Amino acid sequence: MKHRLLSMFALVVTVSAVVVASAAGGGHGRLFQFRGELLSASSGSVQLQVEGGNHAALRAMLGQSQNQTFTIGDKTEILVWRKGIPTVGTVADLTAGDWVNVNVRDEAGSTLAQIEANQAGIVGDRTTRPDIDQPLYLYVGTVAGPQSDGKLALHVRAGNRRALRSLIGQSADQTFTYDEGTIFLLWQGKVPSVIAASQLKAGDRITVRIRAPRAATLAQVEATPANHVGDHEPGNPATQND
């Protein structure tokens, strides 16, 4: 009986490991995970407006455009998530506007071109952004100093309604948080390219987008890593109130 229980436990552990490996993209090498809005999909590729990713992916994108095209093929598994449950799908299930994760494995230090030439292990279609149920806090201001250690000092000059409400009775000088999943974009005209946090300069006009609970205090919002930081973003982003 004891031997049978140990055998069953070993089987459960093995199956769990397979599931975890599959969810991470399977295969060997460094995982590069890109997250964002699907622009288009075909039998051989998916084009993504990248809004985030893991550290390795965002590092590979430094200096590159936000819109990128990844290779898919017979080694790619397409997972369609509905109500938290994944099912195996096809390219026909991928719809422009969906929020997707693209997992590619390659050697550490690979260039973005090398990563994109590799077939993705998994394309995960979640239809809507996972944190979309949380409201947007959008702050607009100027960089107050060098950025480091996950902290971003901002002199706030504008923002959407929710962000400005969180600042009532507070100083215009605030410090926000970012992490390895935060994407930093430098806009040159209407074209954004990915940069590192260290490339922000004092006086730069930036936007900081954070998703946090509706009743969050300013301290709670500031402790939540930003999803997106835009440097010299065109237009009037402060009007966004979703």
Side-chain angles (χ1 to χ4, degrees):
M1 180 67 177
K2 182 177 180 181
H3 177 72
R4 186 180 303 168
L5 288 173
L6 288 175
S7 297
M8 290 178 64
F9 177 74
L11 178 61
V12 170
V13 170
T14 301
V15 171
S16 298
V18 170
V19 171
V20 170
S22 176
H28 301 285
R30 174 70 60 85
L31 173 64
F32 296 84
Q33 184 180 78
F34 303 84
R35 300 187 289 270
E37 181 180 335
L38 183 68
L39 299 177
S40 64
S42 69
S43 59
S45 66
V46 291
Q47 186 179 36
L48 199 66
Q49 178 176 293
V50 180
E51 296 288 351
N54 66 3
H55 179 71
L58 294 182
R59 184 173 182 180
M61 284 193 65
L62 289 177
Q64 304 294 328
S65 168
Q66 187 180 14
N67 295 348
Q68 295 295 329
T69 301
F70 302 90
T71 302
I72 62 173
D74 56 359
K75 297 179 181 179
T76 304
E77 185 171 34
I78 295 174
L79 294 180
V80 181
W81 294 77
R82 298 293 184 269
K83 298 181 179 179
I85 301 174
T87 58
V88 177
T90 68
V91 173
D93 296 307
L94 302 177
T95 304
D98 285 357
W99 181 265
V100 300
N101 294 347
V102 177
N103 290 358
V104 185
R105 285 193 178 274
D106 208 333
E107 295 182 4
S110 294
T111 65
L112 182 60
Q114 291 170 330
I115 296 165
E116 292 182 337
N118 260 345
Q119 281 192 30
I122 284 182
V123 175
D125 184 346
R126 295 179 177 271
T127 306
T128 58
R129 184 172 180 151
D131 61 2
I132 199 68
D133 59 328
Q134 293 190 324
L136 173 68
Y137 292 79
L138 188 150
Y139 301 86
V140 181
T142 52
V143 176
Q147 314 312 310
S148 62
D149 300 323
K151 298 299 181 183
L152 191 162
L154 183 69
H155 180 74
V156 181
R157 297 181 179 276
N160 67 0
R161 184 171 59 250
R162 189 170 288 107
L164 294 179
R165 188 184 304 130
S166 73
L167 282 166
I168 294 175
Q170 306 291 332
S171 169
D173 294 311
Q174 297 293 331
T175 300
F176 298 91
T177 303
Y178 65 89
D179 64 11
E180 64 177 25
T182 304
I183 189 167
F184 289 80
L185 296 175
L186 170 63
W187 291 80
Q188 295 172 304
K190 295 183 178 180
V191 180
S193 59
V194 180
I195 61 172
S198 59
Q199 291 176 256
L200 296 178
K201 302 183 294 295
D204 280 0
R205 176 185 175 277
I206 66 170
T207 56
V208 179
R209 289 174 169 82
I210 302 167
R211 294 278 179 181
R214 295 182 185 281
T217 64
L218 178 60
Q220 290 169 330
V221 174
E222 291 183 335
T224 303
N227 302 102
H228 177 135
V229 175
D231 189 356
H232 290 95
E233 183 173 347
N236 185 16
T239 60
Q240 297 182 23
N241 282 297
D242 63 329

